[in-house]
Amino acid sequence: MSDPAASRPAPLVPLSGLDRYFGITAQNSSVTQEMRAGLTTFLTMSYILFVNPQVLSTAINIPNAFVQLLMTTAIAAAFGSAVMGLIAKYPFAQAPGMGLNAFFAFTVVQGMGVAWQTALGAVFISGVLFVLLSVLGARQAIVQAIPNSLKYAITGGIGAFLAFLGLKNAGIVIANPATLVGMGSLASPTVWLASIGVILTAALMARKITGAILYGILATTVLGIATGAAVYAGGPEGALRSFPGFDGSFLGIFGTPIWPSGLVGQMDIAGALGLGLLSVVFTFFFVDFFDATGTLTGLSQRAGYIDAQGNMPRARRLFSMDGIAAMFGAFMGTSTTTAYVESAAGIGEGGRTGLTAVTVAVLFLLSMFLWPLASAIPGAATAPALILVGALMMDGVKHIDWDDIADSLPAFLTIIVMPLTFSIANGVSLGVISYCAIKLLSGKAKEVSPILYAVAAALLARYIWLTEG
């Protein structure tokens, strides 16, 4: 008689202290794979180093605002990604979020006339609320209350959102006043370069080449530089001179970092607590709460961290790090720092542990010295990664029961609303509200958790009484 124990596979043994801390071998990964995934994530989200300062500098008037905001963006992203990787041990990067920075600058500061220091105070308070709810287990309870059909829909919706963002960055989808959106010109350098990038990267993935997404980004970048394609915003045409900050010499890739003294510690918490600004605080809170919760849930689903019962390991730490990052970012002088959906690119590259996020953190710190070089990766090179990762994230929708309208309609709304409103939070919100309403009116009220009903009511109240801007 054979020994059953002899037939069991030997347990995976960590190769080093680093491996043991992050559980790399346990996740069937490797240090090289995690670092490559971190580089991929960084490349797909490094645009925030330039976009966030462009947005916030319209509202924050200080000397050398752009460079100070760039440094603050890099520091906030490095801190947020580091705590996510070191403490929560998840492969998710964090940085100042798009959408909320526009709400901060154009609606709160310019539209409402609120001082930018006071707006930073509102961001800090919202971060405190995130941490409190996370420590109390409220965010984890909400995730567990969301039905599996909506969890799959959230993942698929984020995929659709990523693909739409990639198509937009590639210039393949453009604004059209008659039809809202339209097809970009195939003669555009950005369009043809991104299209080649999509095909090239997809071919590498079909061949199961390890590092296909990263190689696709780098190959597309090299092709753009070699051909002198006009794909760098603000840069003259011509090989090696086509991106800002690079003057053709080796030293042209370096920039001297400065401490953002005009931003650090300038938040006005007392002013933000004023009765007239409570709606601003709660708008920051509501939008980022469901944006980040939806993003973290979708990414966790994609990375294989959510079990059949909807449980996530280290959930309280995971959600707390999102709040702590928001608080730190406000202290440093930037709008809400949150989990980035572009982390899906790193997950697609095999990132499964916190080492991926720590790698992103290190790269953001290095970008403070090499920020001219960071602009060498054009949007046309990262757009294919977003499109392909978006396609991969649609895989889970096959598990949705499309024959049951009570499940399928909320799932469909979740998926379609995210890209069409350019908001993950809106997709999650409408999915939850419609799911609860249909179940309630169809005589299946008991199939829904009371927690989800409370969430739906809060979301509905938010849409009625608060404005996102």
Side-chain angles (χ1 to χ4, degrees):
M1 182 180 293
S2 61
D3 182 6
S7 62
R8 288 196 295 265
L12 298 174
V13 179
L15 301 177
S16 65
L18 184 71
D19 188 341
R20 187 177 302 107
Y21 182 82
F22 288 109
I24 297 172
T25 298
Q27 290 291 331
N28 294 312
S29 186
S30 66
V31 172
T32 301
Q33 181 171 303
E34 295 295 312
M35 295 180 71
R36 183 175 63 244
L39 176 58
T40 300
T41 296
F42 173 77
L43 291 177
T44 60
M45 63 184 289
S46 61
Y47 66 86
I48 197 62
L49 286 169
F50 307 98
V51 177
N52 195 53
Q54 288 172 357
V55 173
L56 294 185
S57 62
T58 63
I60 298 178
N61 185 17
I62 59 174
N64 207 10
F66 185 90
V67 177
Q68 288 203 55
L69 284 166
L70 188 149
M71 296 298 155
T72 283
T73 300
I75 294 170
F79 176 86
S81 300
V83 295
M84 182 64 77
L86 292 171
I87 301 176
K89 299 183 182 179
Y90 273 80
F92 309 151
Q94 301 196 88
M98 291 296 296
L100 281 170
N101 57 3
F103 174 75
F104 179 102
F106 303 125
T107 301
V108 177
V109 177
Q110 296 185 26
M112 299 175 62
V114 176
W116 61 267
Q117 296 91 336
T118 305
L120 288 175
V123 173
F124 184 87
I125 296 169
S126 69
V128 173
L129 293 175
F130 294 151
V131 174
L132 287 176
L133 289 178
S134 301
V135 171
L136 293 173
R139 294 180 78 173
Q140 180 183 4
I142 290 172
V143 171
Q144 289 177 325
I146 296 174
N148 285 334
S149 60
L150 284 186
K151 284 191 176 78
Y152 288 122
I154 289 171
T155 305
I158 291 175
F161 179 85
L162 275 176
F164 184 75
L165 181 63
L167 291 168
K168 174 180 175 292
N169 290 349
I172 297 173
V173 173
I174 61 173
N176 186 306
T179 60
L180 299 183
V181 293
M183 182 77 170
S185 171
L186 296 179
S188 166
T190 302
V191 172
W192 65 254
L193 184 61
S195 299
I196 291 174
V198 169
I199 296 172
L200 175 62
T201 307
L204 292 174
M205 293 171 69
R207 287 177 169 269
K208 301 187 183 304
I209 301 296
T210 302
I213 295 176
L214 175 59
Y215 296 150
I217 292 173
L218 297 178
T220 306
T221 298
V222 170
L223 179 62
I225 294 175
T227 60
V231 294
Y232 297 95
E237 296 185 27
L240 296 184
R241 292 192 302 275
S242 49
F243 53 91
F246 193 92
D247 60 4
S249 66
F250 178 75
L251 294 179
I253 67 175
F254 293 100
T256 304
I258 64 171
W259 180 249
S261 56
L263 295 167
V264 177
Q266 296 299 310
M267 59 185 182
D268 180 8
I269 298 175
L273 288 172
L275 182 62
L277 289 184
L278 285 181
S279 64
V280 174
V281 172
F282 281 105
T283 297
F284 275 122
F285 170 75
F286 270 109
V287 174
D288 190 48
F289 180 90
F290 288 99
D291 195 335
T293 301
T295 298
L296 291 171
T297 302
L299 292 175
S300 297
Q301 183 90 38
R302 181 63 189 168
Y305 274 104
I306 298 181
D307 62 22
Q309 288 72 43
N311 297 313
M312 301 164 62
R314 307 177 302 281
R316 296 192 185 195
R317 272 189 279 170
L318 169 65
F319 291 121
S320 294
M321 293 311 102
D322 176 60
I324 288 175
M327 293 167 60
F328 179 83
F331 174 77
M332 290 302 302
T334 184
S335 54
T336 308
T337 302
T338 187
Y340 253 58
V341 70
E342 283 85 353
S343 300
I347 293 172
E349 197 58 62
R352 291 295 181 271
T353 76
L355 183 57
T356 293
V358 172
T359 301
V360 175
V362 171
L363 291 172
F364 268 113
L365 289 178
L366 290 177
S367 70
M368 297 174 64
F369 298 87
L370 300 171
W371 59 267
L373 182 61
S375 62
I377 309 294
T382 57
L386 298 179
I387 295 169
L388 288 164
V389 169
L392 294 175
M393 293 187 74
M394 294 298 291
D395 175 71
V397 302
K398 65 187 178 185
H399 299 296
I400 298 170
D401 185 1
W402 292 105
D403 293 326
D404 184 353
I405 194 67
D407 278 343
S408 62
L409 180 61
F412 173 75
L413 290 175
T414 299
I415 294 169
I416 199 69
V417 166
M418 285 189 193
L420 292 186
T421 65
F422 220 70
S423 168
I424 294 171
N426 284 339
V428 175
S429 299
L430 292 188
V432 169
I433 292 172
S434 61
Y435 181 84
C436 291
I438 293 172
K439 289 290 186 179
L440 181 64
L441 297 176
S442 62
K444 300 178 181 179
K446 292 184 179 180
E447 295 182 6
V448 181
S449 166
I451 294 176
L452 202 62
Y453 279 124
V455 170
L459 289 171
L460 194 58
R462 181 254 166 188
Y463 279 113
I464 294 173
W465 285 293
L466 299 178
T467 57
E468 184 176 341

